[in-house]
Amino acid sequence: MQLIKDVKETLWTKSFIMLMVGNLFVFMSFQMLIPTLPPYIKSIGATGLEIGLVTALFSIGAVLSRPFIGFMLEYRARKQLVLIGAAALLAITVIYPLSSVVMIFLLFRFIHGLAWGWSTTVNGTAAVDVVPNSRLGEGMGYYGLSVTIGMIIAPSLGIYLYQITSFTNLIYISSVLGLIAIGLLSIVRYETPEAVLKTRKEDLKFSYLGSLIEKSSWFPAFITIIVTFGYGSIVTFIVIFGEERGIDQIFLFYLFNAIMASLSRPIAGKWFDQRGPKGLVLVCTFLTFIGMWVLSFAHSNLFIIISGILFGIGFGLSGLVFGVLAQFVETAALFQISSVFLILGMAVTVLYGRRRSAARPQQAS
């Protein structure tokens, strides 16, 4: 009798490793700029509203580009799209210091958002194509580490470099990381699906608004926006807040935030599988709410660390709004005001859960 052994398809191919590491350097190059651009634009004369636009315009650009690139992925080969995205990110990074005019800087930020939406969409799709179908969950889990590790290292590194050297030198370092990313991504052997290669653009129908808006996903989208309103104020103003309070180790917030987010993911995943999303959303939103208030009262590195831990566990397009408020209140008060959105998110979660529970008996009858 012949023994039949299950042979796993190879996951750790050269292409998968290069794609994962290349994506890590893309995230490193990008993430180290997130906390440092707001204080830089403030230093060249930006108002509170304009500082808020640093985050808002980027987010708008990232959202607007995704439906279009999603359509292109239905009929275009992967390699060219991946390299265009990485090259665009590098180009916009390099030109940041070339303008001391706030409005031109904000235009660069919007274009950066377009490129980021492009790059992250095509890189993720390319990873799905490279990973064997039988190991897709495992492979994408490992691929996600390139995002997580980038989030752990880069923001803290960016803040540290911004504090000890010039913004221009920070851009140089970010650009070098971007160049490494392009080099790694260029040697990947991409696996474009046969169906995509056979598809012609003329055979496809594309509705931009239809791709942008999905009615059935309103609840998770709304909760995400609400929670992001709380977090967005921190992304935009935390370095400025550290300067106001004289806290020189503000990067510790990002460091502990990312570490705890990584450690809590397996627990959150099991909770979701066993009990569903409602309780998880409530607990995480509450922890994030507490984290915002801890941060608002921070005058030492210890409070920064505690806040980062709470956010990391709890959080796992508010810059514009809070940019307006920043002209009238202290930065700490911004964090307290933005925490109200988290309470709103918890309330909507409870009401939505009750509505669905009430609808089930009617459906059963």
Side-chain angles (χ1 to χ4, degrees), residues 5 18 22 54 67 74 91-92 96 99 135-136 139 141 161 199 212 217 228 232 239 257 267 274 285 351 358 361-362:
K5 296 182 180 179
M18 291 298 100
V54 170
E74 295 185 44
I92 196 65
Y96 267 128
S99 175
R135 304 182 71 177
L136 185 60
L161 291 173
T199 301
L212 194 62
S217 63
T228 302
V239 174
N257 179 9
I267 300 173
Q274 296 173 1
T285 307
L351 293 175
Q362 297 178 2

Side-chain angles (χ1 to χ4, degrees), residues 196-312:
V196 173
L197 295 175
K198 291 181 179 179
T199 301
R200 297 186 307 165
K201 179 181 179 181
E202 295 76 15
D203 298 330
L204 298 173
K205 293 182 179 179
F206 175 62
S207 169
Y208 185 85
L209 289 178
S211 301
L212 194 62
I213 301 173
E214 175 56 53
K215 294 180 180 179
S216 62
S217 63
W218 77 267
F219 175 67
F222 178 75
I223 292 298
T224 301
I225 290 173
I226 289 296
V227 175
T228 302
F229 259 92
Y231 189 64
S233 63
I234 292 179
V235 171
T236 307
F237 291 100
I238 189 166
V239 174
I240 297 173
F241 172 74
E243 293 172 349
E244 293 175 354
R245 291 287 173 90
I247 303 174
D248 57 354
Q249 306 293 321
I250 203 73
F251 70 88
L252 291 171
F253 173 85
Y254 279 97
L255 179 62
F256 281 88
N257 179 9
I259 290 174
M260 294 309 300
S262 302
L263 294 177
S264 64
R265 279 186 179 183
I267 300 173
K270 291 181 180 179
W271 184 338
F272 182 89
D273 290 338
Q274 296 173 1
R275 302 182 183 181
K278 180 181 175 181
L280 184 63
V281 170
L282 290 175
V283 170
C284 291
T285 307
F286 178 73
L287 288 173
T288 308
F289 172 80
I290 297 298
M292 296 208 68
W293 279 84
V294 171
L295 180 62
S296 72
F297 286 106
H299 285 85
S300 67
N301 293 329
L302 176 62
F303 275 72
I304 294 297
I305 292 172
I306 294 172
S307 178
I309 290 172
L310 291 171
F311 261 90

